[in-house]
Amino acid sequence: MAEPLYRLPSRSEIISLAADEGHDADIPTNQGSILPTTLRSHSQSHNHGHDPTKHSTGIFDKDIEKGGTRPESLSSQEDNEDVHVEGRGEENDANVVWWDGPDDPENPLNWGYKKKWGTVILVAAITFLTPLASSSFAPGVPKVMETFHSQDDMLEGFMLSVYVLGFAFGPLLIAPLSEMFGRLWLYHACNLLFIVCTIVAAVSSSMGMFIAFRFLMGCFGGAPLVLGGGTIADLISREQRGTAMVVWMMGPTMGPCVGPIIGGFLIAAKGWRWNFWLIAILGGAFMLMSMVLMRETYAPVILARKTQRLRKSTGNSKLVSKLDSGLSPRDLFLFSIVRPAKMLTQSTICFAISFYVAVTYSYLYILFTTFTAVFTGQYGWHGGIVGLSFLGIGVGCLIGQLVFTHFSNVTVAKHLARGDFRPEHRLYMMTIGGFFLPVGLFWYGWGVQTQVHYMVPIVGTGVMGFGLMMTFMPANTYLVDVFTVHAASAMAAATVLRSLCAAFIPLSSQKMYAAMGYGWGNSMLGFVAIFLIPIPFLFIKYGEGIRARSTVKL
């Protein structure tokens, strides 16, 4: 049963929903938006045909690091006198277009059980496929190098990590487009372009052509990562949303680790090009299913279309959707492009946490780009069996995700019950994960160097995977809690830096191992990870003070 649709949403509910949808809370969700008074004035002027650029300067004046200082501020209007919950409308205003009662079938929250969960499962499948494609051909990298007659170690790593570079840039454009035109057509368009680029990569005749279309695969393949959380938030009530989000998050978590296992056997049997043909076939099947089964779920777009129909049928040009904020495409672009860049360069918290995650995430792709060479050269593995070398890190990531979900909820619930919760409490799990990462690196590196039984380094990669999840997931939740209204921009900043590091840092991994060996090479990475361990401890102790003194403006 959906929540009553006419109850006024709280500030915390709008922020939570906006974070799930992947945008800032001053962009409309299906419960409204939180707008600074300056932006509200701009919105009203825009609706009356005035020039929005004359009112836009005030939009970026609010301090963005102080919003999450106290948890009660998420729902307290007294703490945010310059903030207005927009999009409610007056229920007796005949010109405000809203749902036709709490059981309106057009509202995605009121769809049938099969329709809602069928959409969730389909979105989760698409979200699993695109991260899987990022690493599934890793066991075939030597064969690709042989096909294109290349011996460049840097290209050997870049052909794999360039896909993640696409993840950095594609979503920055996909996000604002989805706010303007809805999610459905972006699913279809990006699925189609992803399939086309995958097919072109499969038939590539040169290294340059292959790398270019791998990059484009990443750009378009990032769409479900941007849109999936919002689709789930559109469809599933708050009480059930956690389950759906866990199912959806399995894709980006497990896809890159499962991909090489599948790709290893397929490449051994059919060659590296067939890895891309399989991705294209699966992508085509999911696209056909989505075109038949999926419908638009984004409430502001559904109501905007309803408003247009009513304007046409009634002749009343004053009708306006209850969720229409009047934001121009220019403002949506600024929110998606300018805000993340400013937060990354001006916010100490955002940069430090993003940097920590970016470095540790790059370690994952160092492993992806070198596993095949390591286990082929050190242990004599060949054929499809090479893909099994990725099993340890996959299991470690899965365990890390489950452990974090359980203990993080317990920790937060305890502090909420005491009434002393701070965003920094999210980092307790990160302090633990920080120690597992260097331990895993030392374990894996020296296990390979001394050529002990292959299970020793594989277990070491499992320890690394556990440490990665225990740093990656607390960092994300911390950014959401700190930046509240602007959480999506903070997440976008972290995603860009993470993707850039994952694309470029692994390029030197082969030369590093050649010069230092696997033992000292991974030990150096471990020492860097040890150097980063104090970051969450420092923020636990000083984070609240840093936020209190913050002067970061948008």
Side-chain angles (χ1 to χ4, degrees):
M1 185 75 180
E3 294 181 8
L5 295 176
Y6 289 109
R7 178 179 63 80
L8 297 181
S10 69
R11 185 173 186 269
S12 62
E13 288 173 330
I14 292 177
I15 290 172
S16 174
L17 184 59
D20 288 341
E21 290 184 352
H23 59 72
D24 290 339
D26 51 13
I27 295 174
T29 68
N30 62 25
Q31 289 189 339
S33 62
I34 295 176
L35 300 178
T37 52
T38 49
L39 182 53
R40 188 179 180 222
S41 300
H42 157 226
S43 172
Q44 293 169 343
S45 300
H46 178 66
N47 284 334
H48 287 84
H50 295 162
D51 183 2
T53 61
K54 295 180 181 179
H55 304 272
S56 61
T57 56
I59 297 174
F60 306 102
D61 291 339
K62 183 175 174 60
D63 190 303
I64 60 173
E65 275 188 346
K66 294 180 180 177
T69 302
R70 302 205 325 261
E72 57 267 33
S73 70
L74 297 183
S75 58
S76 171
Q77 294 300 329
E78 290 78 13
D79 289 332
N80 297 275
E81 294 180 355
D82 64 335
V83 171
H84 175 77
V85 179
E86 179 69 41
R88 296 175 180 176
E90 296 293 336
E91 301 306 333
N92 58 359
D93 188 343
N95 290 326
V96 174
V97 178
W98 187 231
W99 306 117
D100 296 332
D103 299 317
D104 188 345
E106 283 195 72
N107 187 344
L109 286 171
N110 293 327
W111 289 0
Y113 180 87
K114 291 183 179 179
K115 185 176 181 180
K116 286 202 292 189
W117 283 97
T119 301
V120 170
I121 292 172
L122 182 55
V123 169
I126 297 172
T127 311
F128 179 79
L129 179 64
T130 53
L132 180 143
S134 71
S135 61
S136 60
F137 94 107
V141 167
K143 294 183 180 295
V144 177
M145 298 292 289
E146 182 180 337
T147 299
F148 296 129
H149 309 292
S150 175
Q151 296 181 342
D152 191 323
D153 290 339
M154 186 170 292
L155 282 179
E156 185 174 353
F158 191 58
M159 73 168 71
L160 185 67
S161 60
V162 69
Y163 189 97
V164 189
L165 191 62
F167 278 178
F169 295 102
L172 290 178
L173 296 177
I174 293 170
L177 289 175
S178 72
E179 309 304 336
M180 290 184 279
F181 304 111
R183 312 191 199 285
L184 185 63
W185 83 270
L186 273 171
Y187 274 119
H188 295 336
C190 290
N191 282 345
L192 177 61
L193 292 170
F194 174 77
I195 294 166
V196 170
C197 292
T198 303
I199 292 173
V200 176
V203 299
S204 294
S205 57
S206 68
M207 181 67 78
M209 181 180 179
F210 178 77
I211 289 177
F213 281 94
R214 276 280 293 174
F215 170 75
L216 293 175
M217 283 176 65
C219 289
F220 299 120
L225 301 176
V226 176
L227 305 174
T231 300
I232 292 172
D234 294 341
L235 292 169
I236 308 299
S237 64
R238 296 181 77 191
E239 294 78 9
Q240 298 177 313
R241 196 175 300 156
T243 302
M245 292 295 283
V246 169
V247 173
W248 175 68
M249 279 297 295
M250 294 296 286
T253 302
M254 297 303 299
C257 302
V258 173
I261 299 174
I262 299 172
F265 289 100
L266 179 61
I267 291 168
K270 294 290 187 178
W272 67 266
R273 296 184 189 272
W274 257 99
N275 175 76
F276 291 89
W277 286 115
L278 176 63
I279 297 296
I281 291 169
L282 292 175
F286 291 150
M287 187 184 73
L288 291 176
M289 293 171 65
S290 66
M291 293 180 70
V292 173
L293 300 175
M294 288 180 66
R295 298 293 181 268
E296 182 59 65
T297 64
Y298 190 44
V301 170
I302 296 174
L303 288 173
R305 293 172 181 172
K306 181 179 180 179
T307 302
Q308 290 177 347
R309 293 196 306 267
L310 290 175
R311 285 175 181 169
K312 185 176 181 181
S313 62
T314 64
N316 183 0
S317 60
K318 295 182 179 179
L319 292 174
V320 61
S321 166
K322 188 177 179 182
L323 299 181
D324 179 17
S325 69
L327 293 173
S328 68
R330 174 183 176 275
D331 288 328
L332 287 172
F333 182 81
L334 288 175
F335 294 155
S336 298
I337 302 295
V338 176
R339 273 185 179 174
K342 285 191 173 183
M343 294 174 83
L344 193 61
T345 56
Q346 298 179 11
S347 167
T348 303
I349 290 175
C350 186
F351 175 78
I353 295 295
S354 299
F355 179 75
Y356 193 164
V357 171
V359 172
T360 57
Y361 192 71
S362 67
Y363 289 173
L364 181 65
Y365 277 84
I366 287 176
L367 297 184
F368 285 162
T369 56
T370 58
F371 266 174
T372 301
V374 168
F375 283 88
T376 299
Q378 298 295 99
Y379 292 98
W381 289 14
H382 295 286
I385 200 72
V386 174
L388 296 178
S389 60
F390 293 80
L391 189 60
I393 198 165
V395 173
C397 287
L398 178 60
I399 295 174
Q401 183 179 12
L402 296 175
V403 170
F404 168 78
T405 301
H406 173 72
F407 287 102
S408 176
N409 291 340
V410 170
T411 302
V412 171
K414 179 180 71 175
H415 286 284
L416 287 175
R418 293 178 181 174
D420 64 351
F421 175 77
R422 297 180 294 114
E424 284 72 26
H425 289 132
R426 296 284 192 184
L427 299 178
Y428 287 167
M429 303 299 291
M430 193 173 179
T431 60
I432 299 172
F435 289 97
F436 278 90
L437 189 59
V439 168
L441 285 164
F442 295 141
W443 190 331
Y444 162 71
W446 288 105
V448 170
Q449 182 73 32
T450 57
Q451 294 185 334
V452 296
H453 191 273
Y454 61 81
M455 279 304 298
V456 173
I458 287 180
V459 172
T461 63
V463 175
M464 283 186 60
F466 180 82
L468 283 168
M469 286 297 104
M470 296 288 279
T471 55
F472 178 72
M473 298 184 72
N476 286 342
T477 55
Y478 177 62
L479 290 176
V480 171
D481 281 344
V482 167
F483 294 100
T484 58
V485 175
H486 303 111
S489 290
M491 296 286 287
T495 299
V496 170
L497 187 59
R498 181 179 76 235
S499 300
L500 289 173
C501 288
F504 292 112
I505 289 179
L507 299 184
S508 59
S509 57
Q510 293 281 23
K511 292 183 178 179
M512 176 188 70
Y513 287 139
M516 303 179 66
Y518 297 114
W520 283 112
N522 283 286
S523 294
M524 185 184 72
L525 300 179
F527 293 138
V528 173
I530 291 174
F531 178 76
L532 297 175
I533 286 177
I535 289 178
F537 287 97
L538 292 173
F539 280 123
I540 288 173
K541 185 173 183 179
Y542 301 110
E544 189 171 12
I546 292 173
R547 289 187 284 109
R549 297 188 299 272
S550 171
T551 58
V552 179
K553 308 291 183 181
L554 285 181

